[in-house]
Amino acid sequence: MEKVTLNVEGMSCGHCIKAIEGSVGELAGVSNVKVHLESGKVDVEYNSTQVSLDKIKETIDDQGYDVV
């Protein structure tokens, strides 16, 4: 299992949390997603043989947020 903390801009409310945790959490290979709204960070645990970090970042981007 890989663990990564991403800096994400544009998150401001509960809807943002649900959008990111829901969409990233549905990816095959992702075991845990936790959004930290106050710090603008997203913790992700994933299996790198099933899903790439680029795919996770793309999924967050697709929800309308910017991974920096």
Side-chain angles (χ1 to χ4, degrees), residues 14-40:
H15 171 75
C16 302
I17 295 170
K18 287 181 181 179
I20 291 174
E21 289 182 353
S23 61
V24 174
E26 289 178 0
L27 294 172
V30 173
S31 61
N32 190 35
V33 184
K34 178 67 180 161
V35 172
H36 303 280
L37 203 56
E38 322 75 41
S39 61

Side-chain angles (χ1 to χ4, degrees), residues 28-67:
V30 173
S31 61
N32 190 35
V33 184
K34 178 67 180 161
V35 172
H36 303 280
L37 203 56
E38 322 75 41
S39 61
K41 297 190 183 302
V42 177
D43 295 331
V44 184
E45 282 185 53
Y46 66 101
N47 184 333
S48 60
T49 63
Q50 291 182 283
V51 65
S52 69
L53 182 56
D54 285 342
K55 180 62 177 171
I56 293 168
K57 290 178 179 179
E58 179 185 313
T59 300
I60 293 171
D61 284 340
D62 288 348
Q63 293 299 313
Y65 308 99
D66 296 317
V67 179

